[in-house]
């Protein structure tokens, strides 16, 4: 199964109020699928396939971990501690995902 529907769900569940004044790029490198990035700017969220030139933070995981986090079955911090999720760049931004997207 492709991860694209998972990212489309994330984009649909975007909390624009929490993104006011932010200008960020979340890069998702899915090890067993494709790469996507979410551009958060001025209260908007745009999903793009591929790799961004200068992401704020890059999250690296497999499809199963991504699906678990988006569905709410997997806690992102627990996945990080278990080595199922790696972050490069501003790791503190990864903690903002829960505020920016209504997961679960």
């Amino acid at each position: 199964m492709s991860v694209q529907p998972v990212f489309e769900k994330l984009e649909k569940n975007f909390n624009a109020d929490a993104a006011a004044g932010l200008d960020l790029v979340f890069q998702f490198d899915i090890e067993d699928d494709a790469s996507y990035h979410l551009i958060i700017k001025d209260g908007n969220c745009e999903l793009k396939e591929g790799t961004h030139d200068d992401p704020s933070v890059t999250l690296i995981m497999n499809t199963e971990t991504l699906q678990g986090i988006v569905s709410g079955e997997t806690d992102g911090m627990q996945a990080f501690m278990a080595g199922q999720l790696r972050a490069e760049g501003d790791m503190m931004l990864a903690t903002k995902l829960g505020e920016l997207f209504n997961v679960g």
Side-chain angles (χ1 to χ4, degrees):
M1 183 184 130
S2 168
V3 294
Q4 186 171 356
V6 178
F7 283 107
E8 289 170 355
K9 179 181 178 185
L10 257 186
E11 188 180 30
K12 247 192 308 204
N13 293 320
F14 177 64
N15 179 356
D17 292 340
L22 295 179
D23 186 0
L24 307 169
V25 177
F26 289 95
Q27 175 71 49
F28 294 87
D29 289 344
I30 309 305
E31 296 167 316
D32 53 348
D33 203 314
S35 294
Y36 287 86
H37 57 276
L38 292 165
I39 301 169
I40 313 291
K41 188 170 184 167
D42 301 324
N44 292 309
C45 174
E46 185 180 4
L47 173 66
K48 299 257 188 189
E49 190 168 357
T51 305
H52 189 273
D53 290 339
D54 188 25
S56 309
V57 63
T58 301
L59 302 171
I60 305 155
M61 67 195 91
N62 64 22
T63 303
E64 184 180 351
T65 302
L66 174 70
Q67 289 171 333
I69 291 171
V70 172
S71 70
E73 293 172 26
T74 303
D75 177 71
M77 188 55 75
Q78 287 177 339
F80 180 77
M81 297 302 222
Q84 298 168 319
L85 166 65
R86 296 189 318 278
E88 296 173 356
D90 188 343
M91 291 187 222
M92 291 311 294
L93 289 178
T95 62
K96 282 198 158 300
L97 281 172
E99 298 167 31
L100 293 171
F101 301 94
N102 302 316
V103 294

